[in-house]
């Protein structure tokens, strides 16, 4: 319940206002992909199509590789700090200044829902299956959060790390990330249980050997983690298992082969 206070010092009036009666404002119209500068801050997949989101355009776009075209635009509120997508929930989530997180259902454009909030502006946002993962600088060092699809808080461990990227692996149920702003940097993970609770954590067994460059990518079977510096780690202990010998802009897998794109060459490994 929300309470409204009005009037002068000697004639204050307090009125209860039900939050259920307050509708979320409609996001402002967003330009189509063709009209906008075609640049995506987030590129993900729903298992069939690519889904892309742009902070500048405050919009999300779906791309159909069969027709090689973009679907209708899903507008977001302006100035999102973080954007992520859950293929299971079919919902985009966006984090804003002061900690607000909104849900934007892809099947209901223009009808966002208040989702949840972090104490400070989110500096990381990802999805772990149907759960939403967030990070902010509250608490000791930093805090991580997991939220249920309803927006209810599930877990909130402190003494944590902020990272430029949080990458989910559904096979091992690990969220991989760096410990940015700390030297030496390193590759870390947290395990998220089936009920959304963060239950374990770990890091690579090194002290300065990890060149923490994004992106972080996980093999489809969860056995390998590759990062933008070209370093390859085995999943169980995050021991270095190889090196692509070049920095890479992105990594993907197809039919058991690893493909890496660099600013110099594209190679299949």
């Amino acid at each position: 319940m929300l309470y409204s206070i009005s009037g002068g010092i000697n004639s204050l009036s307090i009125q209860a206002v039900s939050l259920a009666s307050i509708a979320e404002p409609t996001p402002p119209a967003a330009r189509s992909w063709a009209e906008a500068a075609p640049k995506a801050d987030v590129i993900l997949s729903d298992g069939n199509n690519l889904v892309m989101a742009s902070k500048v355009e405050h919009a999300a776009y779906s791309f159909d590789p069969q027709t090689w075209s973009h679907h209708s635009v899903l507008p977001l509120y302006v100035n999102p700090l973080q954007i992520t997508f859950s293929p299971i929930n079919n919902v985009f989530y966006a984090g804003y200044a002061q900690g607000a997180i909104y849900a934007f259902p892809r099947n209901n454009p223009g009808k966002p829902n208040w989702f949840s909030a972090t104490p400070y502006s989110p500096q990381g946002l990802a999805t772990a299956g149907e759960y939403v993962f967030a990070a902010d600088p509250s608490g000791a060092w930093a805090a991580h959060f997991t939220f249920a699809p309803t927006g209810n808080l599930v877990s909130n461990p402190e003494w944590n790390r902020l990272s430029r990227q949080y990458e989910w692996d559904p096979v091992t149920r690990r969220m991989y990330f760096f410990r940015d702003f700390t030297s030496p940097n390193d590759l870390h993970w947290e395990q998220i249980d089936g009920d959304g609770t963060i239950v374990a954590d770990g890091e690579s067994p090194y002290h300065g050997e990890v060149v923490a460059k994004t992106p972080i990518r996980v093999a489809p079977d969860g056995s390998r983690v590759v990062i933008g510096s070209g370093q390859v780690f085995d999943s169980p202990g995050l021991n270095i298992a190889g090196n692509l010998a070049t920095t890479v802009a992105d990594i993907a897998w197809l039919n058991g082969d690893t493909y890496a794109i660099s600013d110099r060459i594209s190679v299949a490994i």
Side-chain angles (χ1 to χ4, degrees):
M1 188 69 71
L2 178 70
Y3 293 91
S4 171
I5 303 175
S6 60
I9 189 66
N10 296 318
S11 59
L12 288 178
S13 174
I14 301 178
Q15 183 177 1
V17 180
S18 173
L19 292 176
S21 66
I22 302 176
E24 294 290 352
T26 301
R31 298 190 295 177
S32 70
W33 183 262
E35 296 171 318
K39 179 182 182 298
D41 298 291
V42 178
I43 302 176
L44 298 166
S45 172
D46 65 357
N48 298 300
N49 305 320
L50 290 176
V51 291
M52 297 175 282
S54 168
K55 295 179 183 178
V56 172
E57 298 296 333
H58 59 86
Y61 305 88
S62 297
F63 178 77
D64 185 348
Q66 301 301 319
T67 62
W68 206 254
S69 61
H70 291 85
H71 298 176
S72 58
V73 182
L74 177 70
L76 311 174
Y77 291 136
V78 298
N79 299 323
L81 301 178
Q82 304 283 339
I83 305 171
T84 191
F85 174 73
S86 169
I88 294 177
N89 301 338
N90 202 25
V91 173
F92 282 91
Y93 300 91
Y96 292 85
Q98 311 306 319
I101 303 174
Y102 284 90
F104 299 86
R106 193 163 64 150
N107 58 4
N108 199 8
K111 300 294 183 181
N113 300 306
W114 168 263
F115 180 72
S116 197
T118 53
Y120 291 89
S121 301
Q123 296 190 22
L125 196 65
T127 56
E130 67 270 38
Y131 299 99
V132 175
F133 175 98
D136 82 349
S138 64
W141 288 352
H144 289 177
F145 306 80
T146 53
F147 300 97
T150 58
N152 293 332
L153 179 67
V154 177
S155 61
N156 177 211
E158 297 184 8
W159 298 102
N160 235 305
R161 308 290 183 177
L162 297 177
S163 177
R164 288 157 288 167
Q165 181 188 354
Y166 295 88
E167 184 75 4
W168 172 243
D169 174 24
V171 176
T172 62
R173 298 199 63 85
R174 284 182 174 184
M175 187 70 74
Y176 289 98
F177 54 95
F178 295 128
R179 63 176 186 213
D180 292 336
F181 315 111
T182 301
S183 181
N185 209 326
D186 205 351
L187 182 61
H188 285 245
W189 59 267
E190 285 180 328
Q191 188 160 9
I192 301 176
D193 210 352
D195 66 357
T197 305
I198 297 174
V199 294
D201 62 82
E203 61 188 273
S204 74
Y206 305 107
H207 193 75
E209 293 87 343
V210 176
V211 182
K213 177 179 172 59
T214 57
I216 303 169
R217 295 288 183 254
V218 186
D221 63 359
S223 64
R224 292 286 187 269
V225 181
V226 185
I227 62 177
S229 60
Q231 291 176 307
V232 182
F233 300 83
D234 65 24
S235 171
L238 289 187
N239 296 295
I240 293 179
N243 199 311
L244 304 183
T246 183
T247 58
V248 294
D250 217 330
I251 306 102
W253 285 263
L254 179 65
N255 298 327
D257 294 323
T258 305
Y259 293 83
I261 302 173
S262 78
D263 56 1
R264 295 188 295 274
I265 56 173
S266 298
V267 294
I269 300 162

